[in-house]
Amino acid sequence: MLGALALGVLALVGGAAAAAVDVTAPPPQVIPQGDLTRTIQKVTFANELAYYALTYDYQTEAAKPGEASSTWWGWTAGFVPIGMTDPSGCNWYWQAFFTWEFDDENLANRPATFRVIRSSGPDGMVEFAWDTPKVRAVIRFAMVTGNDKLLMFGHYEPKVAVQRARLRFSSYPGGFDLPRNRAVTTASGTATVGQTVQLNLDRERWFLLEDVTPDNPRQGSAGMVIGTPESFAGVSI
C-alpha cells in the first residue's frame, strides 16, 4: 500500500524575489563533535511573490547507524529538525515544524537524505527521504511561479503493516511574546485557543493561524491548504 498527500503551507510574511523560481541549497555544513557528527543543510525558495528558507539540523553517531537526533528543543518534542527559518521563525516553527509518525516509528529519529530535484525555472523542488525499518518515506517541498505558497508533498511505502500514519505540525502564529490571543479560522468560522477544531474535509480544506490581539504588532500569520483531503482520515487543530 502506498500513501500520498499534498499540502500548501503558507506563511503570510513575504518579500520580493526574482520572476522565476530559484532554489538555493549550498553544500551542507558537516561538523564533527566528539562521537557525533552534526549536519546542517539549508535551502531557500524564492519567486516574484514570496520566499521561504528551511534548515535541516541533525546529528548522527557512528555507533548508532540509522538513528538521528538534534540539539534543538523542537526535536525533543518529537518533531523532525527541519525548521522554517524565513520569512518568519515563529509561524511555522524555525527549529522543527513537522513530523511524520508511522505507529511507533517517528521520522524525527531517523536521518534523511537530501537532494535538489529542480533548482530553477517555472518551478523548483527539493526532497527529503527516509529509509527506515518500517517505511520508506519522502517529503518534497516545491514552489511555482505566480504563487506565494510553499508546497509540501508526502509519499510513503510501508515495509511492514502500518496501522496509523500521522502528520503533526508546530506553529507559533504571530510570535512568541506575550500578551497573545491566538485563533484558528476555517471556512466555517473562527475558534480561539483552548478549543480543538476538527475539520470537515468535505467543506473545510484550509485553515489560518493568527494572533488577533488588537493593536499589537505581530509577525504575520500562518496558513495551510490541504490539497488532497482524501489522503486523510481526519485533521484536527
Side-chain angles (χ1 to χ4, degrees):
M1 182 182 72
L2 303 179
L5 58 95
L7 302 170
V9 178
L10 177 60
L12 299 180
V13 179
V21 175
D22 180 71
V23 175
T24 303
Q29 295 176 260
V30 180
I31 309 166
Q33 297 177 327
D35 295 334
L36 301 174
T37 299
R38 182 180 181 184
T39 302
I40 304 173
Q41 176 65 65
K42 298 182 178 182
V43 58
T44 61
F45 301 79
N47 67 9
E48 71 276 18
L49 297 176
Y51 68 93
Y52 296 89
L54 305 178
T55 300
Y56 182 31
D57 187 345
Y58 69 101
Q59 55 192 21
T60 56
E61 186 176 354
K64 299 178 180 179
E67 297 183 16
S69 61
S70 177
T71 60
W72 294 114
W73 173 86
W75 175 79
T76 69
F79 291 89
V80 174
I82 298 174
M84 186 179 294
T85 47
D86 274 311
S88 166
C90 54
N91 289 316
W92 294 110
Y93 190 36
W94 68 272
Q95 290 186 14
F97 76 96
F98 77 92
T99 197
W100 205 353
E101 301 167 345
F102 304 90
D103 296 332
D104 59 351
E105 175 75 275
N106 188 339
L107 295 186
N109 300 319
R110 304 290 184 180
T113 59
F114 171 83
R115 69 183 178 115
V116 176
I117 296 176
R118 285 186 294 278
S119 62
S120 63
D123 60 68
M125 178 179 283
V126 305
E127 177 185 275
F128 295 89
W130 292 261
D131 191 349
T132 82
K134 182 161 282 190
V135 297
R136 294 183 182 92
V138 170
I139 291 286
R140 290 178 173 178
F141 293 99
M143 203 173 192
V144 300
T145 55
N147 193 300
D148 61 355
K149 297 175 182 63
L150 181 67
L151 305 176
M152 180 178 180
F153 302 90
H155 172 88
Y156 73 92
E157 181 179 355
K159 296 180 181 180
V160 298
V162 172
Q163 302 301 316
R164 185 190 191 200
R166 184 173 71 145
L167 267 170
R168 293 190 294 131
F169 291 87
S170 177
S171 175
Y172 295 82
F176 305 106
D177 297 336
L178 296 171
R180 52 182 177 247
N181 184 19
R182 292 169 176 158
V184 55
T185 297
T186 73
S188 299
T190 298
T192 56
V193 68
Q195 298 175 269
T196 298
V197 176
Q198 187 74 36
L199 295 188
N200 182 332
L201 292 174
D202 290 334
R203 61 175 184 267
E204 296 174 308
R205 300 187 180 185
W206 60 266
F207 60 86
L208 177 68
L209 305 173
E210 58 187 331
D211 191 305
V212 295
T213 304
D215 302 320
N216 198 342
R218 292 293 176 181
Q219 299 183 48
S221 305
M224 183 179 293
V225 179
I226 300 170
T228 54
E230 67 277 5
S231 300
F232 298 90
V235 175
S236 61
I237 307 163

